[in-house]
Amino acid sequence: MSGKIPRLAIMGHPNAGKSSVVATLTENDLIAIDKRAGTTTESSVYPVIIDGRPVIEFIDTPGFQNPNAILEWFQAQGEKRELARAFVAAHRADPLFAHDCALLEPVAEGAAIILVVDGSKRIKEKDRVEIELLRLTARPRMAILNNLTNQTRYMNQWRDALSKAFNSVREFNAHRATYGERIKLLEALKSIDQRWEPLVQEAIDAFEHDWTRRTDHAVTTILDLLKDALTFKVSRNVKESKLAFKSGRDRVRADVMAAFEDGLRQLEVKAQEQIRGHFRHHVWHMPPDSILGKDLLSDEVSQALGLSRRQLALVGLAAGAASGATIDLSTAGHSLGAGALIGAATGGVLGFVGSKALAKLDIERAPGTQRFTAGPVSNPRFPFVLLDRIVLYSARAMNWSHGRQAAEESAPDRVPDKEIRRGGFAEELSAQQQRDLARFFNAAKKGKSDGEEACRIIIRDILHGLAVSEIDSRSDL
């Protein structure tokens, strides 16, 4: 261990998932993951930088090439200490042991060891040799059972072999580990050597502080999205001569409506990009049936997310949900009253899931021109749907393992994704929280900030809850 920060050498076979473990623990999804043996010939250092300083360092090492020869050499040294350092010094110039010296050099320099094994595979004699030679290094060491499939029949064999040689043995699936599980693994590192506790705790504190800050940034992104979407408009001035025929007027109406809808979609896309940035994602896979991959304004999204009809009616009554329009609460969430959102001149509504109006289309006349304006959003349900979508997206970004790119490769027996549950978070909030959100939405439509702090607290509590507990299957959406 360095005198300044904990250093951890990640060891294991190329197909055991050690690079995925490094990618997940460092939140670096750009780390190359290759399952072919022998592709990594040198150790790669991946520090975790927070506030401009490294707080912990992970070292991705090549696999052992000559474990039997190394073990024999270790055993021949008798009571000699610092075996890793002695071996590297004795064999550094020997081409036969070049890869082995690259692997052991971080250990020789004081790094602790994390051995990554695939507990779904049968333990072999080579594995037992490597376990023993790592024990003989006398370095603080932890073993990770990184099960890559549903196969569990060999887990007890691995546990028995590893517990005799390692200070700690943990299950940790690098392809699915959440933030909370990463913190638990770091907490367990404190137990492998008492001298580590202060430095590892300092690293954990830095992780938690940084995570809180990033989560708060995500809350701000969500609030900005809601405010931007609820005040968004699209206007177009058209000369009267181009509107002489009904076809011309219909075309302009359709173009303005399409531009309005596309603008809402782009606001969501921009917010999603920011969310991915907050949680350091570059590689991003979306399941084909994900609700997050559906069109924002589709029937499927509206039916899966947002408040129920009854909840929306109650919220509307309590919060005065109508904003410049009279909402037919008897059908809220299902349809709007026939005269609810009529435009200023000829009137019209943009569709939102069939008969539910999303926004009004105003047409203002001036000498020689007409001004077509779509928006802002008037449907009382839409902001709850939009909130659910961006919170679900945040949940996925917060808990999507950076080492998961390897899990996306074809593997017939790999652990399957959890069954996707359709549903968001708004329905599960208390009635008071739903009313607070509705009041904020109505204020935001008018460009006011009333209720923004209450809304911030609600969203922040949701996101913090996603990070500190094991979230349900919605994280796979």
Side-chain angles (χ1 to χ4, degrees):
M1 178 180 64
S2 165
K4 297 180 180 179
I5 61 171
R7 300 181 72 236
L8 296 141
I10 312 297
M11 300 183 176
H13 297 167
N15 58 356
K18 60 187 178 68
S19 293
S20 295
V21 169
V22 176
T24 294
L25 293 177
T26 60
E27 293 184 293
N28 184 351
D29 57 12
L30 298 179
I31 291 176
I33 297 174
D34 198 324
K35 295 185 177 183
R36 295 173 297 170
T39 55
T40 302
T41 59
E42 297 180 353
S43 294
S44 299
V45 179
Y46 297 98
V48 175
I49 308 294
I50 297 177
D51 291 333
R53 68 180 184 90
V55 298
I56 195 168
E57 193 172 85
F58 297 93
I59 306 161
D60 192 5
T61 66
F64 281 109
Q65 298 295 308
N66 303 282
N68 288 288
I70 298 172
L71 178 59
E72 290 177 8
W73 191 91
F74 276 12
Q75 291 172 333
Q77 304 308 304
E79 298 299 318
K80 189 174 183 178
R81 303 182 65 185
E82 299 290 346
L83 289 175
R85 181 177 299 175
F87 180 87
V88 171
H91 299 86
R92 191 188 304 274
D94 188 342
L96 178 64
F97 292 102
H99 291 181
D100 299 301
C101 286
L103 183 151
L104 287 172
E105 189 149 16
V107 179
E109 295 173 353
I113 296 167
I114 293 183
L115 176 66
V116 181
V117 303
D118 182 358
S120 66
K121 295 183 178 179
R122 183 173 54 200
I123 189 169
K124 300 178 181 178
E125 184 58 30
K126 180 182 179 181
D127 298 312
R128 297 184 186 278
V129 169
E130 293 176 2
I131 290 170
E132 176 61 12
L133 73 85
L134 291 177
R135 183 188 71 82
L136 291 175
T137 65
R139 297 300 307 152
R141 54 203 175 275
M142 170 188 286
I144 289 178
L145 289 164
N146 182 36
N147 239 33
L148 301 181
T149 75
N150 282 320
Q151 179 62 259
T152 60
R153 61 183 297 187
Y154 303 115
M155 291 288 282
N156 287 336
Q157 295 179 18
W158 278 108
R159 283 193 173 279
D160 289 344
L162 293 168
S163 62
K164 297 173 183 176
F166 284 77
N167 308 101
S168 177
V169 180
R170 305 279 302 185
E171 287 188 40
F172 183 81
N173 189 323
H175 296 158
R176 302 189 65 83
T178 64
Y179 162 77
E181 289 164 342
R182 297 201 304 271
I183 292 298
K184 287 180 182 178
L185 183 66
L186 294 176
E187 289 280 0
L189 283 173
K190 293 191 295 186
S191 67
I192 65 177
D193 191 320
Q194 188 174 8
R195 295 169 296 177
W196 279 66
E197 289 188 24
L199 289 179
V200 175
Q201 185 60 54
E202 184 177 345
I204 292 171
D205 291 343
F207 269 103
E208 292 178 337
H209 173 75
D210 183 56
W211 186 265
T212 297
R213 179 172 51 195
R214 287 192 276 158
T215 303
D216 288 342
H217 288 166
V219 173
T220 297
T221 293
I222 293 171
L223 284 171
D224 288 345
L225 169 64
L226 292 167
K227 290 186 288 187
D228 290 345
L230 291 172
T231 56
F232 182 69
K233 296 180 182 179
V234 170
S235 296
R236 182 172 299 176
N237 292 324
V238 183
K239 293 181 179 180
E240 290 275 10
S241 59
K242 295 185 177 181
L243 302 173
F245 298 99
K246 183 177 183 298
S247 61
R249 181 183 297 272
D250 290 344
R251 183 168 60 253
V252 172
R253 289 163 58 95
D255 289 347
V256 173
M257 290 177 179
F260 177 76
E261 293 178 352
D262 286 344
L264 290 177
R265 295 184 183 102
Q266 288 306 310
L267 288 175
E268 186 192 38
V269 169
K270 177 183 175 183
Q272 290 174 343
E273 291 173 351
Q274 292 176 3
I275 294 294
R276 292 200 304 273
H278 295 325
F279 297 102
R280 301 172 184 169
H281 289 286
H282 302 90
V283 179
W284 189 258
H285 300 287
M286 190 71 71
D289 57 349
S290 170
I291 197 69
L292 294 174
K294 307 297 182 183
D295 178 41
L296 172 63
L297 306 179
S298 67
D299 285 7
E300 187 170 5
V301 169
S302 178
Q303 292 165 6
L305 307 178
L307 298 185
S308 68
R309 291 174 57 187
R310 181 177 182 277
Q311 287 175 321
L312 188 65
L314 293 174
V315 164
L317 287 169
S323 178
T326 301
I327 295 178
D328 182 356
L329 288 176
S330 66
T331 57
H334 176 66
S335 65
L336 295 180
L341 300 172
I342 299 301
T346 60
V349 294
L350 298 182
F352 179 54
V353 193
S355 62
K356 292 184 286 295
L358 175 60
K360 65 182 178 179
L361 176 69
D362 284 342
I363 304 175
E364 300 175 1
R365 289 188 172 89
T369 65
Q370 292 186 23
R371 182 178 180 84
F372 290 73
T373 299
V377 168
S378 298
N379 186 295
R381 193 166 184 272
F382 177 76
F384 288 99
V385 172
L386 184 62
L387 174 61
D388 266 347
R389 270 263 285 206
I390 196 63
V391 168
L392 282 170
Y393 197 92
S394 300
R396 194 170 194 273
M398 295 169 77
N399 292 284
W400 179 264
S401 296
H402 291 71
R404 188 163 178 170
Q405 58 172 310
E408 300 308 304
E409 299 173 8
S410 58
D413 58 347
R414 75 175 178 86
V415 178
D417 288 341
K418 299 175 184 177
E419 181 182 355
I420 292 177
R421 168 187 167 185
R422 300 297 189 210
F425 295 87
E427 282 190 337
E428 299 174 3
L429 296 173
S430 70
Q432 182 60 53
Q433 289 174 317
Q434 292 169 353
R435 291 193 293 269
D436 288 342
L437 289 174
R439 291 190 182 99
F440 166 70
F441 296 153
N442 291 325
K445 292 174 186 176
K446 303 171 186 177
K448 298 180 179 179
S449 59
D450 299 359
E452 182 172 334
E453 187 56 32
C455 185
R456 180 183 293 275
I457 292 171
I458 291 169
I459 298 172
R460 185 173 59 208
D461 287 347
I462 292 172
L463 295 192
H464 280 294
L466 294 174
V468 301
S469 61
E470 184 177 352
I471 66 174
D472 63 22
S473 57
R474 287 175 298 195
S475 64
D476 281 328
L477 291 176

